[in-house]
Amino acid sequence: MKYLFTFSLLLVFVIGYGQKEKDPTATEIWDPKPEIVTPGASMVEPPSDAIVLFDGSSLDSWTHMDGSPVKWKLEDGAMTVVKSTGDIKTRESFEDVQLHVEWCTPAEVSSKDQGRGNSGVWLQERYEVQILDSYNNQTYVNGQAGSIYKQHPPLVNACKGPGEWQSYDIIYQAPRFNEKGRLLIPARVTVLHNGVLIQNHIEIWGPVEYRGLPQYKKHGPASIRLQDHGNPVSFRNIWVRRL
Amino acid sequence: MKYLFTFSLLLVFVIGYGQKEKDPTATEIWDPKPEIVTPGASMVEPPSDAIVLFDGSSLDSWTHMDGSPVKWKLEDGAMTVVKSTGDIKTRESFEDVQLHVEWCTPAEVSSKDQGRGNSGVWLQERYEVQILDSYNNQTYVNGQAGSIYKQHPPLVNACKGPGEWQSYDIIYQAPRFNEKGRLLIPARVTVLHNGVLIQNHIEIWGPVEYRGLPQYKKHGPASIRLQDHGNPVSFRNIWVRRL
Amino acid sequence: MKYLFTFSLLLVFVIGYGQKEKDPTATEIWDPKPEIVTPGASMVEPPSDAIVLFDGSSLDSWTHMDGSPVKWKLEDGAMTVVKSTGDIKTRESFEDVQLHVEWCTPAEVSSKDQGRGNSGVWLQERYEVQILDSYNNQTYVNGQAGSIYKQHPPLVNACKGPGEWQSYDIIYQAPRFNEKGRLLIPARVTVLHNGVLIQNHIEIWGPVEYRGLPQYKKHGPASIRLQDHGNPVSFRNIWVRRL
Amino acid sequence: MKYLFTFSLLLVFVIGYGQKEKDPTATEIWDPKPEIVTPGASMVEPPSDAIVLFDGSSLDSWTHMDGSPVKWKLEDGAMTVVKSTGDIKTRESFEDVQLHVEWCTPAEVSSKDQGRGNSGVWLQERYEVQILDSYNNQTYVNGQAGSIYKQHPPLVNACKGPGEWQSYDIIYQAPRFNEKGRLLIPARVTVLHNGVLIQNHIEIWGPVEYRGLPQYKKHGPASIRLQDHGNPVSFRNIWVRRL
């Protein structure tokens, strides 16, 4: 009977406890385990799961838009736009990504407005994060550095000076379309410019459009594209992680 | 008549051109100018518009939850949890922010699971980005480093080893409530862990809840809070930008 | 001993069961209870928590933009735009709402394009859901019935013919700004046109803008506004629920 | 010379005007034209592009989960759950949809809590909008009518009484996964219950889970599923539009 009594007490405790306090293990999730990624030694170095698109040694991950070898200049660990050679794009195609790009506009300022250090990072070949020397440079704000070109101005102007290396850390969500080509979920982008938030999961209105409103057209995975806008903008340390 | 002819031609050109090509200036925005922010020399240094919450020299921006002076240890430019002194919080209150925090779990591993290097960054005192030594440490995945505690596992495990300094770069959007207290827009958070994206504008389900499901309750601006979970986790280089 | 045995078995069962299966009550939420709302007899009738803005009997909930009494025509349970009297707005101000509006364009078609049955529902006085007789009427698609005017075309054209009563069921989320006036969360809108989904939680780009791109400017609660665009468009059965 | 003067004036006007005012046609979009859809005569009748899943005459669009013919009762233009015959699902598979469903719980109330008029609409076979007789019926609020079961309570309780026909108008956005099966964009749902907004583009946490937290698992297009929870709940007038 002694045991019976003990058991009964225990039973009452177990049941009574259950009524008062929820079991914390009920809201634990144990699987699947998130993949292990070794981060870079600093925030700008590629983590272990990144695809290195440019590390200063070769232009092999890129072609011009027609598939021809890149005619931009490779020097001192950087690649630099050569005027009129045209845009370049990655050989690989991407959808949702985290992208790190470093860029530098010419140290010598010889023009102004949109003519000063103009280039751009085109996500999926269509959606442009503008590159411009926006250090003491007046232009339309949805065309300055860090703008989604002709759409969203950056939240702040975090531009460094001409000749200084700068970084974009981009988190990009690709748009989704239905079978007929109708847009169901627009593209979104977050951008840190030199570590400063300048676009916060902003909705992209459509492909970059110089005239008129942008309009989505259905597409699949596509390259990352860098623009030749006629200014010798340099690039280095480009890596991307597929999300 | 010669002039008339010239003018007419010009007029036809102007009107004809307008019909074919939209004026690109129609989609330019010139004002307001984005505020100028001087970025840090590196991505981890505070930009010019940041509020520095801890630079290694003083604990003055923090108190314990009851408003008393912080009893955590200040040494070698870092502050370290002193067991059972309790959580600390910023004197200032915040809503939407970009937040940079560096943290380090003990070099000597003396426990396991949730007992190993456990602390946390609590946004608006309620929404926890978990800190844990998740380097070869098995626990529930929505409780490992970088999880939204008891809600969302991180996308990947980007944890460095015990005794190494690590960083969180957090972009936080506060929840919005109506006058009656009903949630209208949930909180959202993006987290880079050592530069690697681990939470992407994820919807926070509610305040951290150890037992049962989280539930939002209306609140206003609130502090950033760091957790004393009994382990001597260290912090350094904490800054925040109001969005 | 028989009871002891029974109790022991039960205990083993309870504990063993608990280890295999999580307690389902751990994910139940019991409070607060959602408010009870009595729905209308049909989907177009106001539920019990709706504010009736127009039931056919009076124009008292409305004024012109300058606060003067409404000079539109009240007849046969409908109110009809009187050309050049100007837009009207609700006396009450709103933020996030569910809104039901019924409207009817003139049975006799005497014009075309934007001149045919043009009016509009302006949310918070600024964000326009276009009203137009878009039944066999060519115009720019981001200006047809159900468009967010000069922004988003409707997903489909669900317009009834001239002289027929039509409905908009609108779910509107107001934009959020920070103290400095910077947009933090854009406005969003879902629209059912005659029961057909034509806008799905779409992001509004800013206040309606006839020329150039829209740009948000900070504002607080504001009226619902109906447009006098010179055409005798009629309205009936207007109600709104605060969210 | 008179004409010359006139032309010159006109020219000056055109150019001068252009500098002050942006051309409104620059923000017009003319193509593609939204598809024309003929709405139902009332909001509950299927529009011309809807797939009618049940019009009271046949169960042919449905099977049980194993593909066998539906053993539910077809009578008086409604189909009614027959206890223990099991859930049913549409033959067709769906992704993003607008869905109209009418349902009716038994007029005679013979049970309580989750035992009273329990059924459910399962989107893509996994994400449940709960059906329950929640008229003066106490249960956990994230299990009452219109809840996303075991996740989100409805914003309000818009339930009609037992034996009355009720409607759900559902706007559903399917989740998106990457190739590895990781969730990239969660599912979302908007629900009108008897015309009253009860879920507003809410984020679904994962597939319905009776015990513990929900967790997404990658899937493709899937059926709409109706639940046999042992109560003779009836359905009528079910139609769906692919978005």
Side-chain angles (χ1 to χ4, degrees):
Chain A
M1 284 303 287
K2 190 178 149 194
Y3 291 103
L4 174 57
F5 184 71
T6 307
F7 268 111
S8 302
L9 265 184
L10 184 58
L11 189 59
V12 165
F13 175 77
V14 165
I15 289 170
Y17 186 80
Q19 285 170 337
K20 280 189 210 142
E21 298 251 42
K22 291 175 176 175
D23 176 11
T25 66
T27 48
E28 294 176 358
I29 297 173
W30 284 80
D31 288 295
K33 312 291 185 205
E35 188 187 338
I36 291 171
V37 170
T38 307
S42 78
M43 277 186 65
V44 302
E45 286 165 77
S48 59
D49 66 343
I51 298 166
V52 175
L53 294 173
F54 182 65
D55 68 359
S57 64
S58 149
L59 300 169
D60 286 355
S61 301
W62 303 81
T63 69
H64 282 288
M65 299 311 286
D66 61 1
S68 64
V70 173
K71 289 178 282 288
W72 291 14
K73 190 171 63 179
L74 175 62
E75 201 174 46
D76 299 334
M79 62 177 176
T80 301
V81 173
V82 174
K83 192 175 173 170
S84 301
T85 57
D87 297 358
I88 65 172
K89 63 173 185 174
T90 56
R91 289 186 190 277
E92 281 195 65
S93 291
F94 299 97
E95 293 178 290
D96 300 32
V97 294
Q98 176 183 1
L99 172 66
H100 178 84
V101 182
E102 296 176 30
W103 51 273
C104 180
T105 58
E108 191 177 338
V109 174
S110 57
S111 186
K112 59 173 191 169
D113 199 343
Q114 291 287 313
R116 187 172 149 191
N118 194 330
S119 181
V121 178
W122 294 36
L123 299 157
Q124 294 200 302
E125 303 175 35
R126 289 158 178 80
Y127 310 105
E128 183 182 14
V129 182
Q130 169 76 325
I131 288 176
L132 196 76
D133 177 359
S134 287
Y135 190 82
N136 292 327
N137 181 22
Q138 292 287 60
T139 190
Y140 41 99
V141 296
N142 60 345
Q144 74 179 57
S147 64
I148 307 308
Y149 186 70
K150 284 289 185 100
Q151 299 179 24
H152 301 287
L155 292 168
V156 296
N157 180 344
C159 217
K160 294 188 175 181
E164 290 189 73
W165 281 101
Q166 314 201 36
S167 64
Y168 280 162
D169 286 278
I170 295 172
I171 301 162
Y172 171 70
Q173 182 183 292
R176 268 69 179 182
F177 303 87
N178 75 3
E179 287 172 13
K180 293 182 190 169
R182 182 197 288 165
L183 178 75
L184 288 178
I185 306 177
R188 289 190 164 273
V189 73
T190 295
V191 184
L192 297 171
H193 184 190
N194 300 320
V196 179
L197 183 73
I198 58 164
Q199 301 287 356
N200 188 6
H201 199 69
I202 199 123
E203 191 171 300
I204 297 176
W205 294 349
V208 61
E209 198 64 69
Y210 182 58
R211 299 171 188 276
L213 295 181
Q215 274 189 277
Y216 276 103
K217 288 208 184 84
K218 186 177 182 172
H219 63 84
S223 298
I224 294 159
R225 174 174 169 177
L226 301 176
Q227 191 184 26
D228 165 16
H229 200 281
N231 303 137
V233 174
S234 298
F235 294 87
R236 72 174 186 195
N237 192 20
I238 308 178
W239 51 263
V240 67
R241 299 176 59 241
R242 296 182 189 279
L243 298 182
Chain B
M1 283 303 287
K2 188 179 153 194
Y3 290 103
L4 174 57
F5 185 69
T6 307
F7 268 110
S8 302
L9 264 185
L10 183 57
L11 189 59
V12 164
F13 175 76
V14 165
I15 290 171
Y17 186 79
Q19 284 170 338
K20 280 189 210 143
E21 298 252 39
K22 291 176 177 176
D23 177 10
T25 67
T27 49
E28 294 176 359
I29 297 173
W30 284 80
D31 288 295
K33 311 292 186 205
E35 189 187 337
I36 290 171
V37 170
T38 307
S42 79
M43 276 186 64
V44 301
E45 285 165 78
S48 60
D49 65 345
I51 298 166
V52 175
L53 294 173
F54 182 64
D55 67 359
S57 64
S58 150
L59 300 168
D60 285 356
S61 300
W62 303 81
T63 69
H64 281 290
M65 299 311 287
D66 60 2
S68 66
V70 172
K71 289 180 282 287
W72 292 13
K73 190 171 63 179
L74 175 62
E75 202 173 46
D76 298 336
M79 64 176 174
T80 302
V81 173
V82 174
K83 191 175 173 170
S84 302
T85 57
D87 296 0
I88 64 172
K89 62 173 185 175
T90 56
R91 288 187 191 276
E92 283 194 65
S93 291
F94 300 97
E95 294 179 290
D96 301 32
V97 294
Q98 177 183 0
L99 172 65
H100 178 83
V101 182
E102 296 177 28
W103 53 273
C104 179
T105 58
E108 191 177 337
V109 175
S110 57
S111 186
K112 60 174 190 170
D113 199 344
Q114 291 286 313
R116 188 173 148 190
N118 194 328
S119 181
V121 178
W122 294 36
L123 299 157
Q124 293 200 303
E125 303 176 35
R126 289 160 178 80
Y127 311 105
E128 184 183 13
V129 182
Q130 169 77 325
I131 288 177
L132 196 76
D133 177 358
S134 287
Y135 190 83
N136 291 327
N137 181 21
Q138 292 288 59
T139 190
Y140 41 99
V141 296
N142 60 345
Q144 73 179 57
S147 64
I148 308 309
Y149 186 70
K150 282 291 185 98
Q151 298 179 25
H152 301 287
L155 293 168
V156 296
N157 180 344
C159 218
K160 293 188 177 181
E164 290 189 73
W165 282 99
Q166 313 201 37
S167 64
Y168 281 161
D169 286 278
I170 295 172
I171 301 161
Y172 172 69
Q173 181 184 292
R176 267 70 179 183
F177 302 88
N178 75 2
E179 288 172 12
K180 294 182 190 172
R182 183 196 287 164
L183 178 75
L184 289 178
I185 306 177
R188 290 190 164 273
V189 71
T190 296
V191 184
L192 297 172
H193 184 190
N194 300 319
V196 179
L197 183 73
I198 58 164
Q199 301 287 357
N200 188 5
H201 198 69
I202 199 124
E203 190 171 302
I204 297 176
W205 294 350
V208 61
E209 198 64 69
Y210 182 58
R211 297 172 189 278
L213 295 181
Q215 275 189 277
Y216 276 103
K217 290 208 183 81
K218 186 177 181 172
H219 63 85
S223 298
I224 294 159
R225 173 175 170 177
L226 301 177
Q227 191 184 25
D228 165 15
H229 200 282
N231 304 138
V233 173
S234 298
F235 294 89
R236 71 174 187 196
N237 192 20
I238 309 178
W239 50 264
V240 66
R241 299 175 60 240
R242 294 182 190 280
L243 297 181
Chain C
M1 283 305 288
K2 188 178 151 195
Y3 291 104
L4 175 58
F5 184 71
T6 307
F7 267 110
S8 303
L9 264 185
L10 183 58
L11 189 60
V12 165
F13 176 76
V14 165
I15 290 172
Y17 188 79
Q19 285 170 338
K20 280 189 212 140
E21 299 251 40
K22 291 175 176 174
D23 177 10
T25 67
T27 48
E28 294 176 358
I29 297 173
W30 284 80
D31 289 295
K33 311 292 184 205
E35 187 186 340
I36 291 172
V37 170
T38 307
S42 79
M43 277 187 64
V44 302
E45 286 164 78
S48 59
D49 65 344
I51 298 166
V52 175
L53 294 173
F54 182 65
D55 68 358
S57 63
S58 150
L59 300 169
D60 285 356
S61 300
W62 303 80
T63 69
H64 281 288
M65 299 311 287
D66 61 2
S68 64
V70 172
K71 289 179 281 290
W72 292 12
K73 190 171 62 178
L74 175 61
E75 201 174 47
D76 299 334
M79 63 177 175
T80 302
V81 174
V82 174
K83 191 175 175 172
S84 302
T85 58
D87 296 359
I88 65 171
K89 63 173 184 175
T90 57
R91 290 187 189 273
E92 283 195 66
S93 291
F94 300 96
E95 294 179 289
D96 300 32
V97 294
Q98 176 182 1
L99 172 65
H100 178 84
V101 182
E102 296 177 28
W103 52 273
C104 180
T105 58
E108 189 178 338
V109 175
S110 57
S111 185
K112 59 173 190 169
D113 198 343
Q114 291 287 313
R116 186 172 149 191
N118 194 331
S119 182
V121 178
W122 294 36
L123 298 158
Q124 293 201 302
E125 302 177 35
R126 289 159 177 83
Y127 311 105
E128 183 182 14
V129 183
Q130 169 76 324
I131 288 176
L132 196 76
D133 177 359
S134 286
Y135 190 83
N136 292 327
N137 180 22
Q138 292 287 61
T139 190
Y140 40 100
V141 295
N142 60 346
Q144 74 180 57
S147 64
I148 309 307
Y149 185 71
K150 281 289 184 102
Q151 299 180 24
H152 301 286
L155 293 167
V156 297
N157 180 344
C159 218
K160 294 189 176 180
E164 291 189 74
W165 281 101
Q166 313 201 35
S167 64
Y168 281 162
D169 286 277
I170 296 173
I171 301 163
Y172 171 70
Q173 182 183 290
R176 268 69 179 183
F177 302 88
N178 74 3
E179 287 171 13
K180 294 181 189 170
R182 182 196 287 164
L183 178 76
L184 289 178
I185 306 177
R188 289 189 165 275
V189 72
T190 296
V191 184
L192 297 171
H193 184 189
N194 301 320
V196 178
L197 183 74
I198 58 164
Q199 300 287 355
N200 188 5
H201 199 69
I202 199 125
E203 190 170 301
I204 297 175
W205 294 349
V208 62
E209 198 64 69
Y210 182 58
R211 299 173 188 276
L213 294 182
Q215 275 189 275
Y216 277 103
K217 290 208 182 81
K218 186 177 180 170
H219 63 85
S223 298
I224 295 160
R225 174 175 169 177
L226 301 177
Q227 190 183 26
D228 164 16
H229 200 282
N231 303 136
V233 174
S234 299
F235 293 88
R236 71 174 188 196
N237 192 20
I238 309 178
W239 51 263
V240 66
R241 298 176 58 240
R242 296 183 189 278
L243 298 181
Chain D
M1 282 304 288
K2 188 177 153 197
Y3 291 104
L4 174 58
F5 184 70
T6 308
F7 267 109
S8 303
L9 264 185
L10 183 58
L11 189 59
V12 164
F13 176 77
V14 165
I15 289 172
Y17 188 79
Q19 283 170 337
K20 280 189 212 142
E21 299 250 41
K22 292 174 176 177
D23 177 10
T25 66
T27 48
E28 294 176 358
I29 297 173
W30 284 81
D31 289 296
K33 311 291 186 207
E35 188 186 338
I36 290 171
V37 170
T38 307
S42 79
M43 276 186 65
V44 302
E45 285 165 79
S48 59
D49 65 345
I51 298 165
V52 175
L53 294 173
F54 182 65
D55 67 358
S57 64
S58 148
L59 300 168
D60 286 356
S61 300
W62 304 80
T63 69
H64 281 288
M65 299 311 287
D66 61 1
S68 66
V70 173
K71 289 179 281 288
W72 291 13
K73 190 171 63 180
L74 175 61
E75 201 173 48
D76 298 333
M79 65 176 173
T80 302
V81 174
V82 174
K83 192 176 174 171
S84 302
T85 57
D87 297 358
I88 65 171
K89 62 174 185 175
T90 56
R91 289 185 190 277
E92 282 195 65
S93 290
F94 300 96
E95 295 178 290
D96 301 31
V97 294
Q98 175 183 2
L99 172 65
H100 178 84
V101 182
E102 296 176 29
W103 52 273
C104 180
T105 58
E108 189 178 340
V109 175
S110 56
S111 187
K112 60 174 190 167
D113 198 345
Q114 291 286 313
R116 187 172 148 191
N118 194 330
S119 182
V121 178
W122 295 37
L123 299 157
Q124 293 201 305
E125 303 175 37
R126 288 158 180 82
Y127 310 105
E128 184 182 12
V129 182
Q130 170 75 326
I131 288 176
L132 196 76
D133 177 359
S134 287
Y135 190 82
N136 292 326
N137 180 22
Q138 292 288 60
T139 191
Y140 41 100
V141 296
N142 60 345
Q144 74 180 55
S147 64
I148 307 308
Y149 185 71
K150 282 288 185 101
Q151 300 180 25
H152 302 287
L155 293 168
V156 296
N157 181 344
C159 218
K160 294 189 176 180
E164 291 189 74
W165 281 100
Q166 313 201 37
S167 64
Y168 281 162
D169 285 277
I170 295 172
I171 301 163
Y172 172 70
Q173 182 183 292
R176 267 68 179 184
F177 302 87
N178 75 2
E179 287 173 13
K180 294 180 189 170
R182 181 195 290 163
L183 178 76
L184 289 178
I185 305 176
R188 290 189 164 274
V189 72
T190 296
V191 184
L192 297 171
H193 184 189
N194 301 320
V196 179
L197 183 73
I198 58 163
Q199 300 287 355
N200 188 4
H201 199 69
I202 199 123
E203 190 170 301
I204 297 176
W205 294 349
V208 62
E209 198 63 69
Y210 181 60
R211 299 172 188 277
L213 295 181
Q215 275 189 276
Y216 277 102
K217 289 207 184 82
K218 185 176 182 172
H219 63 85
S223 298
I224 295 160
R225 174 175 169 178
L226 301 177
Q227 191 183 25
D228 165 15
H229 200 282
N231 303 138
V233 174
S234 298
F235 294 88
R236 71 175 187 195
N237 192 19
I238 309 177
W239 51 263
V240 66
R241 298 177 58 241
R242 296 183 189 279
L243 298 181

